[in-house]
Amino acid sequence: MQTEEAAVLKCFVIMGFGEKTDPATGRLLNLDATYHNIIKPAAQAAGYSCVRADEVLHSGVIDIPMYEMLLDADLVVADVSTSNLNAMFELGVRYALKPRSTIVMAESKFVNPFDTNHIIIRRYNHLGPEIGYTEVMKVRQDLTLLMNEIKKSIKPDSPVYSLLSYLRPPARKTKHTSPPAMDIERATAQDETYAALWQEAMAARAAGDFVKEKATLLGVYESQAVKSGDDENAVRPRVIRELAFATYKIGDEELEASPSAAAAAYEEAISYLQILEPNQTTDPETLGLWSGVHKRRSALPGRAADARLADLDTAIYAAERGFLIRQDYYTGINLAYLFDVRASISSGEYKIADRVFANRVRRRVVDAAEKALNSLPEQFEQTEDRGTKVMTLYWPQATLAEALIGLDDPRGEKELEKAKQMASATWMVDTTLRQIEDLKKLREA
């Protein structure tokens, strides 16, 4: 039972959100799994209300409530996994503002920058798309205990105040100097609104209801844009990406019955992504969506040959950039497939070049998939959840099979049979078999 005093304690979490690529290892980590399964439940169990920056439905510049939270929060938890620059910056601000009550954590393969070697970073094992149940419960319990200990501690954990002991933390002159309605109490209340909308959108996606998902995300998108003076650039990139994804998935559903409706949906998705400047961005998620929607538009029935080729050029360029950043099997196998699609409508040296590029990429995909398959069993020692193991192992195994089949390597069919044994749902195998069948047809063209 929480006491009244404990219930008003505020915890602010600084970290990346969604799926992010770790630049040191090339792994794709679901940071939402860390927040929702470990950090937030641990904070609530220790008597803190908990909010993450992306959950705040702010009006105006996000910097204002962020700095307020970094100053006023009773506790800050910083997860610096994937070397997230925003999280690093915000951690530095917190260390400058507060002598104590800051926890730093990261997944086990995080590589410390040199200047952080003296900072205690609490580690946990992350499988990539998920975190094993056993690991979640262990880390959550340890984190709750640590949070409770911090309440009683007066020892500085900020390296600024530890090394420069003569410093005194900043304080407000009067309580009236705080900007009205911008404090952490309001942010925590807004957390409930934003989190509820986001969960509603993700539940709709899980149910395959992309129309509902889009409607929910569109409400968030329009709210952020209007409250920021109609500045679309103020809308969080994650909202724009997910809105674009839902929109072009609606296009996929419309494709068979109404190609014109599908074309309109793809155009709308492209218009959203253009806000994120896809020709300049280095964000792998944005590049993946930009590539995917142009790939889909290129396949529209009746698409003019020059327009189709232009779409494929755009899709390939975006996928190449994404693969250069991630070096992952998923982006790589899609890039190889795109080269084969373009080769199927080309001739002469252009056709030959794309076939060569496709096979070169597939060889790198084989290496990436085998590396993933070799490293995952070691990480699985941290989880007893068979569902997590199967879902995580299936896709690198299936991708390995597809890459080998594309290379006419006789091992491909054997690896495909292994993948079938790993699948936990028939749609997984159906997706793989359909992709391989399409690939074979392209290679014959």
Side-chain angles (χ1 to χ4, degrees), residues 290-309:
W290 189 245
S291 176
V293 72
H294 281 86
K295 171 186 173 182
R296 283 161 169 76
R297 192 171 69 168
S298 74
L300 283 169
R303 188 90 171 140
D306 57 345
R308 186 183 184 196
L309 184 59

Side-chain angles (χ1 to χ4, degrees), residues 57 73 97 109 112 138 143 156 193 211 217 221 288 292 315 324 398 403 421:
L57 278 173
L97 293 174
K109 297 185 184 300
N112 287 37
K138 175 184 178 297
L143 197 56
T193 301
V211 173
L217 291 171
Y221 170 85
L324 181 64
Q421 298 302 314

Side-chain angles (χ1 to χ4, degrees), residues 412-433:
E413 295 297 334
K414 182 179 178 180
E415 296 300 332
L416 181 59
E417 290 304 313
K418 288 183 184 178
K420 291 178 182 179
Q421 298 302 314
M422 294 178 179
S424 59
T426 56
W427 68 265
M428 298 166 70
V429 177
D430 290 344
T431 299
T432 300
L433 293 179

Side-chain angles (χ1 to χ4, degrees), residues 151-225:
K151 293 178 190 176
K152 300 178 286 186
S153 175
I154 60 172
K155 181 180 179 181
D157 51 43
S158 163
V160 177
Y161 290 92
S162 296
L163 298 173
L164 305 177
S165 57
Y166 53 84
L167 287 182
R168 295 293 177 265
R172 301 184 188 281
K173 292 182 179 179
T174 70
K175 60 184 179 181
H176 300 295
T177 60
S178 177
M182 278 296 182
D183 57 17
I184 195 169
E185 284 77 12
R186 184 186 179 193
T188 304
Q190 289 174 331
D191 159 35
E192 298 176 2
T193 301
Y194 185 83
L197 289 171
W198 194 262
Q199 288 173 7
E200 182 180 339
M202 294 303 105
R205 175 182 296 185
D209 190 346
F210 297 108
V211 173
K212 182 178 179 180
E213 179 190 2
K214 179 184 176 182
T216 305
L217 291 171
L218 194 59
V220 177
Y221 170 85
E222 291 175 345
S223 173
Q224 290 182 350

Side-chain angles (χ1 to χ4, degrees), residues 43-120:
Q44 292 171 336
Y48 292 87
S49 61
C50 188
V51 62
R52 188 172 64 170
D54 67 296
E55 294 177 330
V56 182
L57 278 173
H58 63 93
S59 58
V61 181
I62 183 60
D63 291 352
I64 298 174
M66 181 194 74
Y67 286 124
E68 288 287 317
M69 293 175 200
L70 291 173
L71 175 62
D72 293 336
D74 300 287
L75 174 69
V76 164
V77 178
D79 188 328
V80 294
S81 300
T82 73
S83 303
N84 184 279
L85 294 179
N86 287 336
M88 289 289 195
F89 172 77
E90 291 161 20
L91 174 61
V93 173
R94 171 68 176 189
Y95 275 154
L97 293 174
K98 289 286 190 178
R100 63 186 63 83
S101 302
T102 301
I103 297 173
V104 185
M105 56 191 296
E107 62 93 18
S108 59
K109 297 185 184 300
F110 171 75
V111 179
N112 287 37
F114 176 78
D115 287 345
T116 65
N117 285 339
H118 56 285
I119 296 173
I120 296 175

Side-chain angles (χ1 to χ4, degrees), residues 262-272 274 293 297 303:
Y266 296 152
E267 290 290 344
E268 185 181 359
I270 287 171
S271 70
Y272 286 129
Q274 283 174 332
V293 72
R297 192 171 69 168
R303 188 90 171 140

Side-chain angles (χ1 to χ4, degrees), residues 301-363:
R303 188 90 171 140
D306 57 345
R308 186 183 184 196
L309 184 59
D311 280 336
L312 286 172
D313 287 344
T314 299
I316 288 172
Y317 181 53
E320 283 180 309
R321 291 161 59 207
F323 187 50
L324 181 64
I325 295 167
R326 275 189 171 165
Q327 294 292 305
D328 66 308
Y329 57 84
Y330 176 79
T331 307
I333 202 66
N334 283 321
L335 174 58
Y337 183 84
L338 283 167
F339 276 127
D340 275 319
V341 173
R342 192 169 65 181
S344 71
I345 62 172
S346 302
S347 60
E349 61 184 14
Y350 293 103
K351 186 184 189 79
I352 294 171
D354 276 343
R355 292 283 193 229
V356 171
F357 287 141
N359 285 341
R360 283 181 176 175
V361 172
R362 284 194 180 93
R363 291 187 186 95

